[in-house]
Amino acid sequence: MNLFDLSGKTAVVIGGNSTLGGAMCVALGGHGAQVAVVGRNSEKSENVVKQIEEAGGVARSFSADATSKQDVSRVLEDVLAWTGRVDVLMNCPGTNSATPFFEITMEEWDRIIDVNLKSVVIACQVFGKHMVEKGEGGSIINISSVSSGPPLSRVFTYSASKAGVNSVTQYLAREFAPSRVRVNAIIPGFFPAEQNRKILSEERIESIMKHTPMNRFGEAEELQGAAVFLASEKASSFVTGALIRVDGGFGAMTI
Ligand SMILES: NC(=O)c1ccc[n+]([C@@H]2O[C@H](COP(=O)([O-])OP(=O)(O)OC[C@H]3O[C@@H](n4cnc5c(N)ncnc54)[C@H](O)[C@@H]3O)[C@@H](O)[C@H]2O)c1
């Protein structure tokens, strides 16, 4: 028995061309899933597809703005035309900004909330509806953050958006449970990536390390186990509404 076998399954990863999303796509592909790598930047998505194919897996890139319901609906149609099914949806587009509270413009608020939270709602409506109506179960995995609560300093809007992601996850876990569509979130700690590079000043890195018992950043590959576990019906059939921390102990730290 292979608890983590995803053969014959199709996984759609929105923001699959991100640093963390890319590593999780590679893991899903490596365990047999056909992976739809969805992103705005096709060149970056194609790189992830190439990595999966080089490892003997099957993947295809799909272009979409995750904040557009029209784009995301088109991706559902295109994926169904490709493999005929969707078993796993992972949501990981993301953006961030360290703007002091009184200086946050409503344009910036909208941009961050749209990419981090509205995109999750859109994908859960589009792909969740398909999974619920098809009646064959499924797994939705949202990528949250340690900033979802208690919030980190300096990243107000990001924190509010990720608190929203936890709420959407737990709300839909209840709503979709009768259809055997499981909805969970991964809470990554700190992993150097494009969207947080600007925010990681020397002083901030020092304070992150002080609050991370393992005293280091995570590597994107260290999220692969949690992603495959939650994607696999065999491994996590009784897991829904869970917020799984992969954070080197950050969430367990006091003094
Ligand atoms: N890196 C970390 O330490 C960390 C920690 C916790 C959570 N996360 C979350 O992990 C996820 C992946 O981020 P990352 O750290 O790999 O950063 P990243 O900068 O590598 O990726 C962010 C991705 O989001 C995509 N994106 C932004 N707006 C989009 C849109 N409108 N439509 C489609 N795609 C869009 C970008 O193209 C990029 O590929 C995000 O949700 C992020 O909040 C990251």
Side-chain angles (χ1 to χ4, degrees):
M1 182 171 62
N2 183 350
L3 284 175
F4 303 103
D5 180 22
L6 300 174
S7 306
K9 308 284 185 193
T10 297
V12 175
V13 184
I14 301 186
N17 58 10
S18 61
T19 314
L20 305 190
M24 291 188 277
C25 283
V26 168
L28 297 172
H31 285 77
Q34 304 163 104
V35 185
V37 181
V38 185
R40 272 183 320 187
N41 181 329
S42 302
E43 201 181 313
K44 273 167 67 183
S45 301
E46 284 299 342
N47 278 337
V48 177
V49 167
K50 207 165 136 214
Q51 281 181 63
I52 295 171
E53 287 175 344
E54 279 171 3
V58 177
R60 192 177 280 194
S61 105
F62 296 84
S63 168
D65 178 338
T67 66
S68 155
K69 191 164 181 181
Q70 202 183 350
D71 278 17
V72 174
S73 304
R74 182 183 32 78
V75 170
L76 170 64
E77 295 311 316
D78 291 349
V79 171
L80 291 176
W82 176 43
T83 66
R85 55 187 305 119
V86 176
D87 304 280
V88 177
L89 165 70
M90 180 180 283
N91 288 309
C92 53
T95 189
N96 202 349
S97 175
T99 310
F101 178 68
F102 288 127
E103 291 168 30
I104 295 168
T105 62
M106 288 306 106
E107 288 72 25
E108 178 177 298
W109 165 267
D110 284 347
R111 180 176 57 79
I112 296 176
I113 295 290
D114 282 3
V115 172
N116 295 358
L117 179 57
K118 186 168 105 175
S119 68
V120 176
V121 175
I122 288 175
C124 287
Q125 280 192 338
V126 171
F127 286 90
K129 188 163 192 275
H130 171 78
M131 287 177 180
V132 165
E133 287 179 355
K134 192 135 192 241
E136 294 179 4
S139 170
I140 298 178
I141 306 164
N142 297 322
I143 305 306
S144 179
S145 160
V146 288
S147 205
S148 59
L152 297 177
S153 59
R154 300 185 64 210
V155 287
F156 174 81
T157 314
Y158 182 80
S159 304
S161 73
K162 293 296 186 177
V165 169
N166 289 2
S167 177
V168 167
T169 301
Q170 294 185 319
Y171 185 96
L172 293 180
R174 287 204 302 261
E175 181 121 346
F176 293 173
S179 312
R180 290 189 305 110
V181 176
R182 300 175 297 108
V183 189
N184 295 288
I186 296 175
I187 299 192
F190 293 88
F191 297 72
E194 230 171 86
Q195 53 84 16
N196 60 12
R197 195 153 293 146
K198 282 180 277 180
I199 296 164
L200 293 176
S201 62
E202 246 171 67
E203 182 201 358
R204 187 126 173 123
I205 291 174
E206 196 185 325
S207 99
I208 290 167
M209 291 307 146
K210 274 194 196 141
H211 285 82
T212 304
M214 294 186 86
N215 195 33
R216 64 172 175 85
F217 285 117
E219 303 281 343
E221 289 68 25
E222 293 180 296
L223 289 165
Q224 292 176 324
V228 173
F229 165 69
L230 290 175
S232 166
E233 172 71 25
K234 288 179 221 140
S236 59
S237 53
F238 199 47
V239 181
T240 198
L243 309 172
I244 296 184
R245 290 182 175 275
V246 181
D247 66 357
F250 186 91
M253 187 64 179
T254 52
I255 52 167

